[in-house]
Amino acid sequence: MVGSSHEALHRIFQKDPTLLTKALQKVLHVPFPEPREIAALNVDLTEIEPVERRVDTLLRAETDEGTYLLVVESQGKVDERKRGSWPYYLSYLYEKYRCEPVLIVVTQSSSTAKWACRPIRLGFPGWESLTVRPLVLGPDNVPVIADERQAEKDVPLAVLSAMTHGRGPQAPAILESLAAALRTIDPDTAAVFVQFVDSCLTDPQAKQMWRDLMTAIQYFWRHPLAEQVREEGREQGRIERSQQMLLQILDWRRIPVPDSVRERVEACTDLDQLEAWAQRAVHATDATELFADE
C-alpha cells in the first residue's frame, strides 16, 4: 500500500524498472547502456552493529557494458545529512556487490532538485578523496505530458509526469491525459499507478479532480488498493462534519466566531480534539474558551 509521495516517487521504479533507464537516457541524457535484465535487490544496508541504513529503492541492471546498481532516493526537502549518507550508501554497495552504483534522486521540488544535483566532494579541495554526483529527476527536467496520445505511448513516463507536476497549472491537462491512457493498460497495473499519483498530489483541488476522474474507471474502485482512498474519503467527511457541527453550536448559541478561531477549527483534523472542543462549545461564553486548556 502506498501512503505518501515519498513512497510513490521511488516505488514507481520498482513497479516499472525500465522507466528508470528511460529517464536516465531521455530525461537526463545520460548514455546509460540498455539493460538486458533489471532486478530489485534488498534495500536494507544495515550493518551488524548498530546503525540502520536503508535506501529507498535498489535495482540491479545487467547491461552489455557491465552490471550497475541503480540507487533511487525520494527526496522531499533539503537534508544536509545526505552529504554523509549518500556517499556511505554508494561505498557500501560497491563493497558488497562489486558493481558500479549510480545514485538517482527523485523530487517534486525545484529547490530540492537544485540542492540535490550539487556534487558532494569529500577530502582536500582540488584533490577530493570521494566525489558523488547525483542524477536528479524533478520538475525542471521530467517532461510535462498533457497529450492523451503521448501519454498512451509511454504510460509509466506519463505517471511520473503527473507525480512530478501534479501541483502546477498544467495539472488538469496532465491528469486528464493520464486518466485516458490508463484505460489502455491492464487493470492491476493501472490501479497501482493510480495510487502512486494519488499519493503525490498535494494540491486539494488536483487530488479531488484525480479521484473524480478515477471514479469513472470502475475497475480501480473494485481493486483492494482503492480501499485506502475510500477510507481517506470517509475520514475526511467525518472531520468536515465535526468541524461544521462545532461551528454551528457556537452559531446557535449566538457566540461570535473570530477568523482566528474559525481557521483553527477548520485546520484541525483530529476527531477527538474536535469532539472535546464541541463539548466546551456547549458551555462557553466566548469562542476562545474552546482552547482555554491548551
Side-chain angles (χ1 to χ4, degrees), residues 29-192:
H29 305 293
V30 174
F32 190 83
E34 194 66 35
R36 297 190 305 273
E37 179 185 353
I38 299 181
L41 303 180
N42 192 333
V43 300
D44 192 346
L45 308 185
T46 306
E47 298 180 17
I48 297 177
E49 294 288 345
V51 180
E52 179 179 333
R53 296 181 186 271
R54 293 176 183 270
V55 296
D56 288 332
T57 284
L58 180 61
L59 303 171
R60 181 178 60 214
E62 303 284 353
T63 77
D64 291 336
E65 299 178 20
T67 301
Y68 295 89
L69 298 176
L70 304 179
V71 184
V72 184
E73 285 282 280
S74 174
Q75 195 67 28
K77 61 182 179 180
V78 173
D79 184 355
E80 291 300 335
R81 292 176 299 177
K82 297 298 184 180
R83 178 178 171 82
S85 59
W86 283 343
Y88 171 88
Y89 295 163
L90 301 182
S91 298
Y92 177 90
L93 289 168
Y94 180 77
E95 174 63 21
K96 181 175 181 178
Y97 293 101
R98 291 294 168 175
C99 301
E100 300 294 339
V102 180
L103 175 62
I104 301 102
V105 179
V106 190
T107 182
Q108 294 175 290
S109 165
S110 293
S111 59
T112 301
K114 291 176 182 177
W115 162 80
C117 71
R118 297 202 309 257
I120 300 171
R121 296 185 173 92
L122 304 180
F124 187 77
W127 195 266
E128 290 79 10
S129 301
L130 178 65
T131 300
V132 176
R133 298 178 59 196
L135 296 165
V136 182
L137 293 167
D140 297 329
N141 56 15
V142 172
V144 173
I145 299 180
D147 177 78
E148 180 179 330
R149 284 175 294 182
Q150 187 180 3
E152 290 177 358
K153 289 180 181 178
D154 195 334
V155 176
L157 187 59
V159 173
L160 183 62
S161 176
M163 292 162 62
T164 307
H165 300 285
R167 56 184 174 187
Q170 300 179 87
I174 295 171
L175 297 178
E176 288 177 352
S177 299
L178 177 58
L182 287 176
R183 298 176 183 272
T184 66
I185 64 175
D186 73 274
D188 288 341
T189 298
V192 176

Side-chain angles (χ1 to χ4, degrees), residues 227 229-239 241:
E227 181 57 33
V229 175
R230 288 196 290 264
E231 180 55 35
E232 287 177 359
R234 290 192 289 266
E235 180 74 5
Q236 183 60 35
R238 289 192 290 268
I239 290 170
R241 287 192 294 273

